Amino acid sequence: MSETLRMGLPDASGHFGPYGGKFVPETLITPLAELEEAYRIARTDPAFEWELGHTLTHFAGRPTPLYRADRLAEEMGADFRLYLKREDLLHTGAHKINNTIGQCLLTRRMGKKRVIAETGAGQHGVATAAAAAHFGLDCVVYMGEEDMRRQRLNVDRMQLLGAEVRPVGSGSRTLKDAINEALRDWVTNVGDTHYVLGSVLGPHPFPAMVRDFHAIIGRETRAQIAMLHEDRVPDWLIACVGGGSNAIGLFHDFLDEAKVRMVGVEAGGRGIASRLHAARLADPAIGVLHGTQTYVLQDEAGQVRATHSVSAGLDYPALGPEHAHLHDKGRVRYEWATDEDAVEAFGRLSRVEGILPALESAHALAWLASHAKEIERDSIVVVNLSGRGDKDVAEVERVKREGYGAP
């Protein structure tokens, strides 16, 4: 596999092949250029790298363990060796803290005192609030009213951490609409505010920068597997994909290892035929959303379609541009799992291994359960457990009680 997939992209204009770029109002061109320059300097500054590493270790809790899930593999009837990368054990309960620490450090270097963020499942909002508190920054988080209903615990956690949570009642009242409001805030307050975007989405340099902050997931996984299995690399890497930050964080270090197979699992909702889903690559169409060109769920008139997922963090109509490029190149296989399968996988891991996964991560586990027979005996399989499921217990109980119809 060409090294350019891993090392050479995005190009100078922020594109991964035809995807990515910078489709924003003129007001945001200057702060984006400022952010790009600040990140370019910071990533080669030993003082920044030291503080980032120190904070990830002593505040966030890195490295995260690689857990061998033998009982779960047996439950699936599998002959492979299954490992879970335990990002759920990080401070605040998900991989999101990797990125928020990095971006809050950059905010301070740029001399800004306020951060804003969007959140769906709430984990990015909590991670931003925690990092902002740690670095002494003011914090506002935008969250759709529907997601606030599904993730009430995380709303309370953000407020306890000192953040102001602003409900968004427009549109579908989910992640897409929260991003809209965060971008409006940033346009208005560019002088003292940095937007801590939470996934590998948005205008350049966000997709590459957020990827780089999460690439530690794959680097740790490589070292941990090599130690356990005499310098081998994993045979399979599997992760859920909303915007795609946890997935690209796991995949990035292995993109030029041709024998490592990778699967990104989107939210199949109530099934592709129902059109109530967030599986962008099940019905691919190229468009521009939130500052980047990528695959976007659209209707026949080219308007952004409403999405649905039991998982608030996957309930988004666009795919990160690097994932779009990796799909077109055939480097990563993108599939989907339904709400029902994800809830079943949530219960299975909880019951069999004593670990509650986030509903987002449960989609990856659901895909693995349904495809276990196609994975060769003695393969090494790593699933990124991107977050913990405490936040999802109430929603899981609701769908068990009420079924999978509309809330």
Side-chain angles (χ1 to χ4, degrees), residues 264-269 271-273 279 281-282 334-338 341 363 367 370-371:
V265 186
E266 300 185 287
I272 302 306
L281 293 171
Y334 294 90
E335 302 205 357
W336 50 269
T338 65
D341 289 341
H363 284 72
W367 181 89
S370 64
H371 292 79

Side-chain angles (χ1 to χ4, degrees), residues 25-305:
E26 186 176 351
T27 315
L28 291 181
I29 295 297
T30 297
L32 285 168
E34 178 189 13
L35 175 62
E36 185 177 357
E37 179 65 6
Y39 180 57
R40 185 189 67 79
I41 295 170
R43 66 187 302 185
T44 59
D45 182 347
F48 178 85
E49 288 299 314
W50 182 89
E51 188 169 9
L52 176 60
H54 183 271
T55 309
L56 287 170
T57 298
H58 298 284
F59 181 65
R62 300 213 74 91
T64 58
L66 199 62
Y67 172 79
R68 184 156 170 171
D70 287 340
R71 283 171 52 79
L72 181 61
E74 182 180 0
E75 177 87 359
M76 293 177 179
D79 293 324
F80 49 74
R81 285 163 286 189
L82 173 59
Y83 292 92
L84 307 178
K85 183 59 171 160
R86 295 293 307 276
E87 296 296 287
D88 60 306
L89 293 179
L90 285 170
H91 178 46
T92 70
H95 72 292
K96 296 293 187 179
I97 194 76
N98 303 322
N99 172 49
T100 63
I101 288 172
Q103 289 204 51
C104 284
L105 276 171
L106 283 174
T107 302
R108 194 178 66 184
R109 285 174 71 100
M110 291 186 290
K112 299 187 177 185
K113 304 294 185 182
R114 177 177 182 262
V115 293
I116 57 174
E118 85 298 329
T119 197
Q123 290 301 116
H124 175 61
V126 171
T128 304
H134 182 72
F135 292 113
L137 302 169
D138 294 333
C139 180
V140 173
V141 179
Y142 289 90
M143 190 172 190
E145 289 176 347
E146 169 61 13
D147 291 336
M148 292 180 72
R149 178 195 69 77
R150 293 191 282 193
Q151 304 293 342
R152 187 69 226 179
L153 173 63
N154 277 341
V155 175
D156 294 339
R157 293 171 74 199
M158 285 182 270
Q159 292 171 336
L160 285 168
L161 289 164
E164 177 190 350
V165 183
R166 294 186 182 174
V168 177
S170 59
S172 60
R173 301 175 296 127
T174 57
L175 180 58
K176 171 177 70 69
D177 313 291
I179 294 175
N180 290 340
E181 292 304 315
L183 286 168
R184 290 188 185 103
D185 185 317
W186 198 23
V187 167
T188 306
N189 299 290
V190 292
D192 69 346
T193 297
H194 172 61
Y195 178 16
V196 183
L197 204 155
S199 195
V200 285
L201 297 165
H204 179 65
F206 283 109
M209 183 179 68
V210 175
R211 174 200 68 196
D212 291 348
F213 285 137
H214 283 305
I216 192 170
I217 302 170
R219 293 197 300 270
E220 284 182 5
T221 298
R222 177 186 288 274
Q224 289 165 326
I225 289 294
M227 184 176 295
L228 290 167
H229 294 284
E230 298 180 352
D231 295 326
R232 282 185 62 180
V233 294
D235 298 293
W236 291 78
L237 301 173
I238 304 166
C240 65
V241 178
S245 62
N246 92 91
I248 205 66
L250 178 64
F251 297 164
H252 182 62
D253 203 59
F254 298 94
L255 286 175
D256 48 1
E257 298 269 7
K259 64 182 179 180
V260 180
R261 284 167 282 188
M262 305 177 192
V263 181
V265 186
E266 300 185 287
R270 297 174 197 154
I272 302 306
S274 73
R275 293 174 68 84
L276 296 172
H277 62 81
R280 288 66 50 102
L281 293 171
D283 190 9
I286 296 172
V288 173
L289 183 65
H290 295 141
T292 195
Q293 178 163 288
T294 185
Y295 285 110
V296 181
L297 277 176
Q298 301 172 58
D299 63 19
E300 292 76 8
Q303 298 299 306
V304 177
R305 273 171 43 189

Side-chain angles (χ1 to χ4, degrees), residues 350-368:
S350 304
R351 182 180 67 254
V352 172
E353 295 283 1
I355 300 170
L356 272 69
L359 275 173
E360 290 79 15
S361 311
H363 284 72
L365 294 166
W367 181 89
L368 178 60

